[in-house]
Each structure stands twice: as C-alpha cells, then as structure tokens.
Amino acid sequence: MMTAVPYKIYLSEKELPKNWYNLKAVMKELPPPPLHPATLKPCTEDDLKPVFCTKLVQQEMNTKDKYIEIPQGLMDFYKMIRPSPLIRAYNLENMLDTPAEIYYKFEGTNTSGSHKLNSAAAQVYYAKEQGITRLTTETGAGQWGTALAMACAYYGIDLTVYMVKISSQQKPYRKAVIETYGGKVVPSPSDTTEAGRKILADMPGTGGSLGCAISEAIEMALKTENCRYVLGSVLDHVLLHQSIIGEETKVACEKYGIVPDVIIGCMGGGSNFGGLIAPFMGDRIAGKNNIRFIGIEPASCPSLTRGKYAYDFGDTGKTTPLMKMYTLGSGFIPSPSHAGGLRYHGMRPILSKLSDDGYLEAATVTQTKAFEAATTFARCEGILPAPESSHALYAAIDEAKKCKEAGEKKTIIFGLSGTGYFDLSAYMSYNDGSMKDYIPTDEELEKGFATLPKVE
Amino acid sequence: MMTAVPYKIYLSEKELPKNWYNLKAVMKELPPPPLHPATLKPCTEDDLKPVFCTKLVQQEMNTKDKYIEIPQGLMDFYKMIRPSPLIRAYNLENMLDTPAEIYYKFEGTNTSGSHKLNSAAAQVYYAKEQGITRLTTETGAGQWGTALAMACAYYGIDLTVYMVKISSQQKPYRKAVIETYGGKVVPSPSDTTEAGRKILADMPGTGGSLGCAISEAIEMALKTENCRYVLGSVLDHVLLHQSIIGEETKVACEKYGIVPDVIIGCMGGGSNFGGLIAPFMGDRIAGKNNIRFIGIEPASCPSLTRGKYAYDFGDTGKTTPLMKMYTLGSGFIPSPSHAGGLRYHGMRPILSKLSDDGYLEAATVTQTKAFEAATTFARCEGILPAPESSHALYAAIDEAKKCKEAGEKKTIIFGLSGTGYFDLSAYMSYNDGSMKDYIPTDEELEKGFATLPKVE
C-alpha cells in the first residue's frame, strides 16, 4: 500500500539526487547555437573561458551527458541548504473545494530566500576548484547577490557585487545581508570601471540599470587577476544546476505515488521553471508521460507569449553572444513591476525551443492577480510567497478551479520559487490598493522588436 | 548500527509528538502561585477567565498531567509549520576545529520567523473552539503579532494588534506582514482605549511602550463582545506549547543516538528555552540524565544572573498578577538592544524556580559578541540568525572552544529560535561598527529593585 502523503515531504539525505539532469542531452532537436556578437559564428569554449570558469563553460556546451555528477564538495553545501520540501497544499485544496491535488516545491527555506542559491553554490564551487580567488557579478533586486555572497563566504572566495544603484538605495537590507556574508557591494554605475565612468559622465544622475551593472561586472572580471564573472540566469549551465529542484520533486513523487498531470512555474529567464520540469520533460520527450508544462509570465513582460523567436542579445548593453530565443527585443524596457525577477526581455533558448516544438505552454498573469493569489495562499498555507512565484501560484489556483468545474481530479505541481520576505513594499502597495498593472500595447512591443539585431 | 547523523534531521509526520510536555507535573517543588494584584491571594481560574480563553486558563493551572494532548485541529496546523529541523553544525565544528558535536534546533523556517507561532496557533485554536470571534494582543518588534496574524487567518478569527507606535513606524514591513494576514494594526498609544487616551493626554508625543500596548489590548478585550486577550510569553501555558520544540528534539536525538551533555538557549521570558529543555529537564529531575542546562541572557537585561528572586508584576503597568520570579523590578527599563525579544525585566516563574533549585545555569553575553558569533555562523552554516538566538549561539561556540582546549568530546545542543531577516538594521549597525554594548551598573539595578512590590 502506498503511504499517505504527508503535508510536507522532505527527502532524507540519502535520497538526495547525486546528478544534475541535462535537458540538452535528451532534446530531439537542440536550440540553434549561440553566436559570437562580432563574428556571428557559433561561440566556442575559448570565446567564453576568459569570462566564465572553465568547468561551467564545459557544462554550457555539454549536449551528450544526460546526467552530470554533482561533485562531493558541492554536495556538502547542498546537504546544508537542501532538500527543499514538496508540500501538499491540503489547506488550499480545502479552501478551493477542488477535487484536484495541489503540490508545491518550495525553494524559499534557505537564507537567500530563493532557488538562486542552487546555481550560486555550484558556480562558486567550480571557481574554487579552478583556483579562482575573486568573482564579480551584478544584482538587481538582490536575490542573486545574496545567494552568491552566501556561497562565496562558505568557499572563501572574494566577491564584488555591482548592485543597480537605485536598488542599493531602495533595498538597504539586501545590501546588509550581502555585506554580512562578506561580499563587497558597489552601487552601479560606479567609477571603478570604464563602462561605469562613461555612463556617469553621460548621465550623472542615473539610478543605473541591470545592463550597466553587467557591463561593469564583466569588465572588472576581465581586468582583475584570477577573477571570473558569474551569472545567475539565462545560461544553460544555470538551468543544469537548477535541475536539482525537479529531480528532488521526481524522487518525492515516485516515493509517494504522485503522478502529476500539470506542472506550473513562473518564468523570467526560466531557470527556476526549467529546473523544476527538467527530468519530467525528459520523460515527456521520451514518450513516458503526457504532462502539461505551463510557464507563467508577467503580463508586463510576455516574451514567450507575445515575443518573436529570433536571435537576440542577452543583455540590453548588446555585449553577450546572440541567442535564438523568444524575445521582446533587448531594447524592450518592461514597465515597473514588483516581480523584478521576471522582468527579462527574452526566454532562455532551451525553453524557447521546447515551446517552439510544442512541449511547453505559456500564459500571462497580471501582478494584482498574482498578489491576490499570494494573499489567499499566505492565509491558508502559512507561507508568504515571492511576487515572482505568485504568478505560478495564480495559475495553479486557476487550474484547480477548472478541475472543480469539470469535476476532474488532476494532480497539479507548481514551483514556489521564493519567499516574499524582501518584497514587503510590494505587499504594502497591494494592501493599500495602489498597485497597478501594466500590459504593453502592440505598438510598444513593435518598438522592442525594432531593436532586434539583423542575423541572416 | 546507528545511522550516521545527517546534516539536517527532519522528523516524518508520523514521528511528530502528539502531546505537549507539562514541566509543572514533574517538578519536585512547584513555583509559588501567582497572586491577585488587589487581594494578594493566589489567583483562581475565575480571576483569569474574563481575560484569557478557558482552556488556556486550565492549562495554566494544570500541575498534574505530564502530557497534554495536542488536539487534532491544531495538529493540522502543526503539520503545516513543523517539524523544525535539528541540524548538525558540521561546518561550524570544522571551523572551530573542536572535538565537540554541535546541534541546533532551528525554529526560523516558518513565515513568522520564530518559535512564537507554536503558541500562537495553540491559543487561536482554543479561542476558536470556545466560540471566541475576536482576539487582541500587543506586539513590540512584531514577531508575536506576525505569528498571531498567521494563526488568526488560518482559523478565521479577527485580530487587533496594538503595536508599540515607534515600532510600527520603524518596522513598516512587520506591519505589512500582519496586514497581509488580515490583522488590524493599531499604533499604541491610541484613542481606541481609556488607557491609550490617558497616555496620549499626559504624553502627546510618546512613541509608546509594551506596557501601554498590553494595557490597551487587555482593555479592548474586556470591553469587546466575544473577545479575549492573548499573550506570547511569560505564562505557563505558553511554555507548555513551546515544549513541542524539546519533544521533537528528543525524538530526533533518540532516533540518531545523540546524547546531549549541554543544552543552551537564549532567555527573554524563557518560552523558547523552557520549551527546548522541557522533556530533557523532566528526565534530569527524575535522575535519568545529567545534562547541563544553560540559559543565556543579554548583558543589558540580566534577570536570572543579577536579579532578585521575589514577587513582582509581569508588566511595567503593574496590572498583571504578581509572580515569584527572578526579576530586575518591573520598573527596570533595559537599555536599547537589538535583541528586543530578550528585553524583559523578569524570568518566568518555572525557570526561576528551576534555577533556584540548582537545575539551571545562567550566563550573559553582550550584543556585539552575539553579532560576532552570528556573522561567523551565517558564513559557515548558511543561516542568518536572529539577534536573540545569537546569544545562545555565542555560548555554544564558547562551550565548543572549551572542549577543544580540554580535548573533550561533548555533545552540545542549542536553540536557534529565529531568523534575522527582520533585524537587518541591527546587522547594519554591527557591520558599520556603530553597535554599542550596555551593562547596567549596580546602581541602575538598585533603582529597578526599588520598584519591587512589598509582599509579605
């Protein structure tokens, strides 16, 4: 007999996955390769090695190995921060009076508050292994910077975080956490780089941007001895590391006989959602299941739902390799939204390709609907969700309501990628009714598309 | 063969304790009874029932039942927020290069961020059972208010939180969480009560105090239909509910063959520490172990280490029953400290009695030492501790260092009662070197003792 499903499923240490799941090794067709922005030829490992750690570049290029072993020195870190719980939303089900079974994989129990730490730890581990002593990165809202600072403190690596200046002023507590973990925070634009000095000269009063912070972090990495740059999203090796989320979920499902019909996640660059679905998607591609995978985007930044499938830059500064992806154009500036982690103009190439091939659905949710769902959820499930995660939550509730109407008993899993602890000003604006929704007009999208590079 | 101890021990749902542990039923001598402040006669159930829920009053008075069953409707809530993990501090041990084994019970994984939720849920459950529809309480830093709001949202009870005015201004995010959970926050002093109006008239610009907020909350409960007041500390039923911490710890220890030599916790009113040690202390009293129990106080508010064992009021407003406890005098105003949860003039009667009978040791730590320990811990164990918990953490590290000097392999357990997410301004002042320590002089203590009531 199958054991009854408890509220919270925590895998034991022995049950933790020992490998990451490499989606590219099981896809029937691979995404077109990234192109060097100068030559427009496919990027080689050598193109990337001055910027990124060597092992990460190799993982980025790996299309052969379905499983990639998690090294022991990293497993020790993972044992400290994982497993994350898979939680049966019994209370939400009762409140909705739905025949559906709802589960969520909650990545917000670690101190950084989100899934970001899974890749931060891996990237810092490989830097350490390579003898790298310093890392640089950028951070907007601060989740990635916090995660990286935690990993750098553990492995003894110096860290400089270029934090978008306006964020560093508006989120002093995020800065405080990074500093408590020994990271150095530099408000960007700064006078520590050419890129920063140029922007400061051109726009003295600017609050900065993620694009500018990226440029500064890469420049500093290139000009500093024994230093590399690390990135928390978009790249394939980041998705690889995040597959630990999906693998834990799969082990838990198998242990308790849970057979998902639908898996839902929020999508910015798609790391969290891609990681959650990876092993399930692999089985789907192999014809072993028929799960619906639904990625939820903010209505204010609908790359997969309203974007074009085209080669584009990964950053607004147009310095990264060109990637074939669903994109709104690197020049598309999403309207302000409290789900900062979802404000990205493109969708990572792997998910774009899977979407193009019909394996993935996408939908949008406005932020007020997301916060409405978040408040309902917080009150009955006891967890305050991050604004990003609340987009997925809304869709899961919506799906469960449809089950009620249809009298169908589906099993729904969604990714709750983080806590809302550091987003309380957003909750305040929802509570006092001042939160607004933004949906770009077709005209605004056209302006973004006009910034797409010409690639034959 | 005993299973190797994993980094994190999560009990399964089936292993969760089904009863609370009532220390008063196993103590060889009970603490002297609380006295009615007007008559100076021992309080009766009838004295307390207008203010507190009936079941809680009965638990408060219960000296007979060693185990008190956790009702099913509350277990459902506990399954949602518990178990908390018992974590082996492998990384801290390595860093200290100590032969000691260090474990910590981490109560900060729930959204309220601390152990407070264990009693909040219980109190709200019993209110609901009794048909009470509204509750009032006070909150200072906001942890208790948050916990109570979460429980009230779950059980569908209206909540009014009198929040010390200066806190509600300095901690808008705490207010935001309470409101997200549907609680009503009233900055105190307010014009909603006689007590508040009087203070506003006498001191128009005051930022309020916990004493004043308590008075307002009790007055509102007494004059509102179907309403009761709830308190998050000091009372015996709160300690009873917190015994779930110690019971889970004990089950985990037995499962993995962990035999503690020392158990350490921070003490404000003593709920968290009392809960952690309850079942172990019961065994100690019965001669079944020889564990050292060490309670850590802030040097700025040393009730057990430098106070007098005397009858005193529980509140600065001198409205509560008189309790025999180690106290600095209800008129003692502790200097500002970032460990707001430890700024209480007295130590709960049960722990005072156990200390007087020689079962309990106490020591003090300054806040800069606590934050130094917190920073070390955050960097190697990945968790950012609450300032309060960091006092216990400092003592645990100190104990482990002594083990290294002596070459002794002791097993140390300490209580990590909460996260530091909401205390980042404190970390900022530690990081920038502006944090100060306060140790009251003997003269300052004498002034506090002068406020002790005369009881024959």
Side-chain angles (χ1 to χ4, degrees), chain A residues 16-194:
Chain A
L16 289 183
K18 296 188 173 46
N19 301 285
W20 289 301
Y21 191 97
N22 183 11
L23 257 182
K24 283 200 287 191
V26 298
M27 288 171 74
K28 290 198 173 155
E29 271 183 43
L30 287 172
L35 305 180
H36 193 287
T39 64
L40 295 187
K41 295 207 169 128
C43 282
T44 64
E45 289 196 10
D46 287 344
D47 290 334
L48 300 174
K49 281 180 184 168
V51 179
F52 297 103
C53 295
T54 304
K55 269 279 172 63
L56 298 172
V57 173
Q58 290 164 353
Q59 291 180 350
E60 189 71 19
M61 300 293 184
N62 191 322
T63 58
K64 300 222 168 115
D65 303 311
K66 180 173 168 184
Y67 295 108
I68 295 180
E69 193 181 356
I70 302 169
Q72 189 54 49
L74 177 58
M75 275 305 289
D76 288 344
F77 193 96
Y78 275 2
K79 284 176 192 171
M80 195 172 77
I81 63 163
R82 304 200 66 80
S84 72
L86 179 68
I87 305 177
R88 172 81 181 265
Y90 280 113
N91 297 316
L92 182 63
E93 290 172 19
N94 287 341
M95 205 214 57
L96 296 172
D97 188 26
T98 175
E101 288 187 9
I102 310 174
Y103 297 84
Y104 54 102
K105 181 73 170 166
F106 182 41
E107 291 292 309
T109 55
N110 73 71
T111 285
S112 78
S114 82
H115 66 286
K116 296 272 184 189
L117 191 52
N118 300 325
S119 185
Q123 296 195 43
V124 176
Y125 170 81
Y126 286 119
K128 177 87 175 179
E129 191 191 54
Q130 193 180 331
I132 300 295
T133 54
R134 305 182 64 87
L135 290 171
T136 68
T137 197
E138 77 290 333
T139 201
Q143 273 183 331
W144 171 245
T146 305
L148 207 57
M150 287 178 65
C152 282
Y154 180 89
Y155 288 110
I157 301 270
D158 278 347
L159 173 68
T160 302
V161 179
Y162 287 89
M163 187 167 187
V164 176
K165 189 179 279 175
I166 185 78
S167 286
S168 75
Q169 290 162 351
Q170 288 176 346
K171 306 207 166 189
Y173 289 168
R174 273 292 188 186
K175 183 166 172 281
V177 181
I178 296 172
E179 288 175 345
T180 296
Y181 279 98
K184 184 179 166 198
V185 176
V186 180
S188 168
S190 75
D191 61 4
T192 65
T193 65
E194 296 255 342

Side-chain angles (χ1 to χ4, degrees), chain A residues 6-8 10 13 80 91 110-111 150 154 176-177 180-182 375 378-380 382-384 421 424 428 431, chain B residues 6-8 10 13 79-80 91 110-111 150 154 176-177 180-182 378-380 382-384 421 424 428 431:
Chain A
Y7 273 65
K8 292 177 171 184
Y10 281 105
E13 200 170 292
M80 195 172 77
N91 297 316
N110 73 71
T111 285
M150 287 178 65
Y154 180 89
V177 181
T180 296
Y181 279 98
T375 304
R379 293 183 185 185
C380 69
I383 291 171
L384 191 76
Y421 284 138
L424 286 167
M428 285 163 78
N431 291 340
Chain B
Y7 272 66
K8 292 176 171 186
Y10 281 105
E13 201 170 290
K79 284 177 192 171
M80 194 173 78
N91 297 316
N110 72 71
T111 285
M150 288 177 65
Y154 180 88
V177 181
T180 296
Y181 279 97
R379 293 184 184 185
C380 69
I383 291 171
L384 191 76
Y421 283 136
L424 286 166
M428 286 164 78
N431 290 342

